Amino acid sequence: MQNLISSAPSRRRCTEQRCISLLQSATSLPRLLQALAFLLKCGNQSNLLVLTRFAAAAAILGPGAAAAAATLLFSPSFSPLHLYDSFLLNTSLQSLSPSPLHPLPIFSLMLRLQLPPNHFTFPFLLKAISATPSPLASASLVHCSALRFGFAGDSFVQNTLIHAYASAGGAGLESARKVFGESPKTSPITFSAMIGGYVLHGRSNDAIVLFRQMQYAGIQPDYVTIMTALSACIDLGALDLAQWISSFVAKENIPKTLCLCNALVDALAKCGDVDGALEVFDQMLERNIISWTSVIDGLAMHSRGMEAVRMFETMKASGVKPDAVAFIGVLKACSHGCLVSDGRHYFASMTTEFGFEPRIEHYGCMVDLFSRAGMVEEAMEFVRAMPIKPNPVVWRTLIAACRIHGNLQLGENVTKRLIKEEPLYGSNYVLLSNFYALSKRWEKKWEIRYTMGQQEMCKVPGFSMLELNGEIYDFVAGGEKLSRHQEIYEMVEEIAKKLKRAGYVPTTSEMLLDIDDEDKEDALHWHSEKLAIAFALLKTLPGTRIRILKNLRVCGDCHSATKFISKVYQREIVVRDRSRFHCFKDGACSCKDFW
DNA sequence: CTAGGGTTAG
């Protein structure tokens, strides 16, 4: 008896599941039709799920197959299916999301069969379009269609339209903004769609401006808007805003969902407030692997490797099984904290204790672990013994170690090998020319620079950002974007003099120019973070902590200069690198010079 | 039957 009751629904589910996989596995239209015929024989005439999956499977095969399928489905001989009309096609559209399959064939069929789209059609359609590779053209096509059918004023349509346009980036963002501006009713959803689009395409400044406007307009952000705004904070290192959001969440009646708390932990840590992140983490009622990974990664970024390792152990003890990403976190903590033996232990435990096959990222962490610790030969040996092919990232890790630890010959060889693999990537040639400069082979260096010029390859320009009183300031080397540059350059000169008196010796070896030493020193002063620090020293009261964010890694000279500045000017200076934090205080850096 | 979203080596 018990058996009968429990097996009946499960058998039906199983059949349906089988239908779907049968349809999805069809590789051509004839096979698909064959599959459908079989399913109909099993009595699926009115099973909507099966029929919509059939339509979706046909759409995957291409417009021709989709047309044939729809003609079949909606032909009179297939009655009474035509009663489903738009509903069937809407559901087909829905079933395409979030897979990246193109929904337009289904939509055009719908029009061809003169089935009128209704107000469910456009959101489904636009949602599916957002997930396709280049949604701009499709979005504007559907936009026109929505206007023609009189659905452009529907708020669901507007929100999905903003999302679809914004997903395209570039000009799509402007189209999205236009729809956004024309939307009469704005909800947190409208704002999330627009803000999310900005964040997705690297315009986090615009995202935050809009987030502020939202509050100004009296619209209460909900948890999705907040998570989106937190992503923008991460991009910009906007600590003030991240902390403000954190307290906002604490005092307002916003559901503290697992997702939201994870986003808060991640954002606070990445904006420089690990202790704030730990506080949120401690108060969480429920934690998943992402919560643990975020907090471990946050500790790793701040050189708190031992704590990260303890956290990893606590996680295991609390019954959460580490996954591949969590291992990346703990291995990163070991390499940034110079915990070589712990790193070895965790790497080994991946296979012995948890049965994972380490991925290239894990091998990369190990190479970094040995490299930072100065064990360059060991790192090279590790790469040689790797069972998977090292990728360019691994090579670059090793190359960075060779440069820092002075293994010039090895570095040069590895860089040449990298260039063979990636001949079109400009930065690789810069790396090679660096080694030539370090070994003072200027002709070789100029040869490379010449080749680069010929092929129009260039270096990623470095920039720094600084947040002062809620405003974000940009600095690029040379500083031509700044209106007050004269003042800043004078400050840079003054800093240089003071540092020299304090015993600072500029490191010129990282410069690529073979000009005389004095000029080299000059050129080093223009690195974007030096400009940012000078500006911050001018604009803030003594004792204020200075926070800088960079797109590249800190160069050796800036690192030692900043250590001196922190002592001479008695300031705490926090620099967020590409991958970690440096907290300069009293002439020392929290990274203990491992970076 | 409708909309916006989270951790990942350098």
Side-chain angles (χ1 to χ4, degrees):
Chain A
M1 193 60 184
Q2 183 63 39
N3 246 341
L4 264 175
I5 292 168
S6 62
S7 74
S10 95
R11 191 185 299 155
R12 186 159 6 127
R13 234 191 347 264
C14 175
T15 317
E16 221 163 61
Q17 203 50 54
R18 256 188 58 213
C19 291
I20 291 163
S21 55
L22 194 63
L23 291 169
Q24 283 175 341
S25 62
T27 51
S28 64
L29 184 61
R31 279 172 179 275
L32 186 62
L33 292 172
Q34 213 178 348
L36 181 70
F38 172 74
L39 296 177
L40 293 178
K41 219 159 57 182
C42 302
N44 282 301
Q45 260 81 2
S46 49
N47 187 329
L48 200 57
L49 182 65
V50 169
L51 295 173
T52 54
R53 291 302 177 135
F54 167 71
I60 301 168
L61 294 175
T71 316
L72 175 71
L73 282 179
F74 294 98
S75 64
S77 61
F78 216 82
S79 64
L81 280 176
H82 60 278
L83 293 177
Y84 291 123
D85 60 50
S86 306
F87 183 53
L88 178 53
L89 282 176
N90 278 346
T91 322
S92 313
L93 285 172
Q94 190 182 20
S95 72
L96 288 189
S97 215
S99 77
L101 308 166
H102 219 290
L104 273 186
I106 293 186
F107 183 61
S108 40
L109 279 168
M110 202 164 173
L111 300 182
R112 194 136 24 105
L113 297 165
Q114 306 206 321
L115 296 168
N118 56 28
H119 59 102
F120 293 113
T121 311
F122 289 100
F124 283 142
L125 186 55
L126 287 162
K127 186 179 180 182
I129 281 174
S130 303
T132 61
S134 31
L136 183 53
S138 320
S140 84
L141 210 89
V142 172
H143 189 182
C144 292
S145 192
L147 281 165
R148 208 170 55 240
F149 285 96
F151 290 112
D154 183 284
S155 66
F156 280 84
V157 175
Q158 281 164 349
N159 292 338
T160 37
L161 196 53
I162 292 167
H163 182 62
Y165 271 134
S167 307
L173 282 172
E174 307 319 320
S175 310
R177 187 62 193 238
K178 199 154 171 286
V179 178
F180 178 84
E182 288 162 359
S183 302
K185 252 181 39 196
T186 44
S187 66
I189 299 173
T190 322
F191 276 93
S192 306
M194 196 62 232
I195 295 172
Y198 282 137
V199 174
L200 190 64
H201 294 98
R203 287 175 56 179
S204 294
N205 250 324
D206 295 307
I208 283 180
V209 169
L210 197 55
F211 183 69
R212 294 223 168 92
Q213 277 174 23
M214 176 179 177
Q215 271 143 294
Y216 193 69
I219 295 169
Q220 173 89 339
D222 67 4
Y223 81 101
V224 178
T225 328
I226 289 175
M227 286 192 338
T228 316
L230 286 171
S231 306
C233 291
I234 293 175
D235 280 353
L236 302 170
L239 178 62
D240 295 355
L241 184 57
Q243 286 176 328
W244 182 86
I245 289 175
S246 183
S247 56
F248 179 82
V249 170
K251 70 172 192 282
E252 298 289 322
N253 195 23
I254 290 164
K256 287 148 198 65
T257 59
L258 182 58
C259 277
L260 178 57
C261 292
N262 287 346
L264 264 175
V265 169
D266 187 42
L268 285 172
K270 290 206 171 103
C271 290
D273 183 10
V274 230
D275 293 309
L278 283 167
E279 207 176 298
V280 174
F281 180 82
D282 285 338
Q283 287 169 10
M284 285 170 72
L285 302 172
E286 186 197 354
R287 296 177 193 125
N288 64 4
I289 185 72
I290 294 174
S291 332
W292 288 98
T293 306
S294 299
V295 84
I296 289 168
D297 210 59
L299 287 166
M301 284 181 86
H302 290 265
S303 304
R304 287 163 67 164
M306 307 263 264
E307 281 167 84
V309 164
R310 274 203 295 277
M311 199 57 97
F312 188 77
E313 290 302 325
T314 316
M315 174 187 83
K316 286 197 290 187
S318 75
V320 176
K321 225 183 107 160
D323 64 3
V325 183
F327 270 106
I328 291 174
V330 76
L331 291 175
K332 195 162 120 181
C334 293
S335 80
H336 289 235
C338 207
L339 305 169
V340 178
S341 60
D342 291 271
R344 281 190 220 264
H345 160 74
Y346 286 121
F347 184 76
S349 81
M350 284 182 71
T351 34
T352 57
E353 210 178 316
F354 296 96
F356 285 124
E357 205 50 59
R359 298 198 311 232
I360 187 71
E361 291 93 331
H362 301 109
Y363 287 100
C365 287
M366 291 307 283
V367 175
D368 193 47
L369 174 75
F370 297 131
S371 294
R372 279 178 204 276
M375 303 154 69
V376 180
E377 291 301 330
E378 176 124 21
M380 187 64 215
E381 213 31 67
F382 186 85
V383 173
R384 285 202 190 99
M386 272 167 57
I388 43 181
K389 194 171 173 286
N391 64 5
V393 179
V394 169
W395 293 125
R396 276 190 281 273
T397 306
L398 200 55
I399 290 164
C402 289
R403 199 190 46 157
I404 290 166
H405 300 290
N407 300 45
L408 301 186
Q409 192 54 53
L410 180 61
E412 187 182 320
N413 296 344
V414 173
T415 310
K416 282 179 178 162
R417 182 168 179 167
L418 174 65
I419 286 174
K420 259 187 208 150
E421 236 172 273
E422 272 189 335
L424 298 174
Y425 193 52
S427 308
N428 295 340
Y429 295 88
V430 177
L431 291 175
L432 186 58
S433 78
N434 260 331
F435 282 110
Y436 289 139
L438 284 168
S439 49
K440 306 203 186 306
R441 281 138 74 200
W442 305 114
E443 336 70 53
K444 295 287 265 182
K445 205 213 78 171
W446 283 113
E447 205 177 292
I448 299 257
R449 299 302 276 194
Y450 179 73
T451 319
M452 284 182 67
Q454 291 285 297
Q455 299 180 17
E456 289 181 8
M457 287 186 278
C458 56
K459 216 179 148 183
V460 180
F463 68 83
S464 298
M465 294 192 287
L466 174 73
E467 187 191 13
L468 283 184
N469 313 315
E471 287 285 317
I472 309 262
Y473 295 87
D474 276 7
F475 298 85
V476 288
E480 58 284 345
K481 274 171 80 180
L482 287 158
S483 52
R484 318 193 60 142
H485 60 279
Q486 187 56 40
E487 192 186 8
I488 293 174
Y489 290 152
E490 280 167 21
M491 187 63 184
V492 171
E493 298 294 339
E494 191 194 311
I495 293 172
K497 275 185 213 141
K498 277 206 185 181
L499 291 198
K500 243 179 218 173
R501 256 178 273 140
Y504 155 76
V505 183
T507 354
T508 48
S509 62
E510 301 208 14
M511 284 307 297
L512 303 170
L513 310 164
D514 64 336
I515 44 185
D516 57 71
D517 272 349
E518 192 126 332
D519 283 349
K520 275 192 252 183
E521 276 178 40
D522 243 23
L524 275 168
H525 296 160
W526 312 130
H527 270 184
S528 62
E529 66 255 59
K530 291 215 179 87
L531 300 178
I533 290 172
F535 186 71
L537 285 173
L538 279 169
K539 296 294 164 196
T540 56
L541 294 170
T544 316
R545 197 150 70 135
I546 298 174
R547 293 183 313 105
I548 311 267
L549 187 147
K550 285 203 54 135
N551 64 332
L552 304 172
R553 281 174 72 176
V554 183
C555 87
D557 182 63
C558 285
H559 196 265
S560 74
T562 311
K563 285 198 284 189
F564 272 93
I565 294 172
S566 72
K567 194 176 170 75
V568 172
Y569 287 84
Q570 276 300 300
R571 293 281 194 127
E572 260 181 76
I573 302 172
V574 180
V575 179
R576 189 178 99 187
D577 221 35
R578 253 191 92 98
S579 66
R580 50 128 54 250
F581 278 89
H582 300 266
C583 304
F584 299 93
K585 195 181 174 182
D586 282 330
C589 178
S590 63
C591 77
K592 299 173 196 87
D593 300 340
F594 288 118
W595 90 95

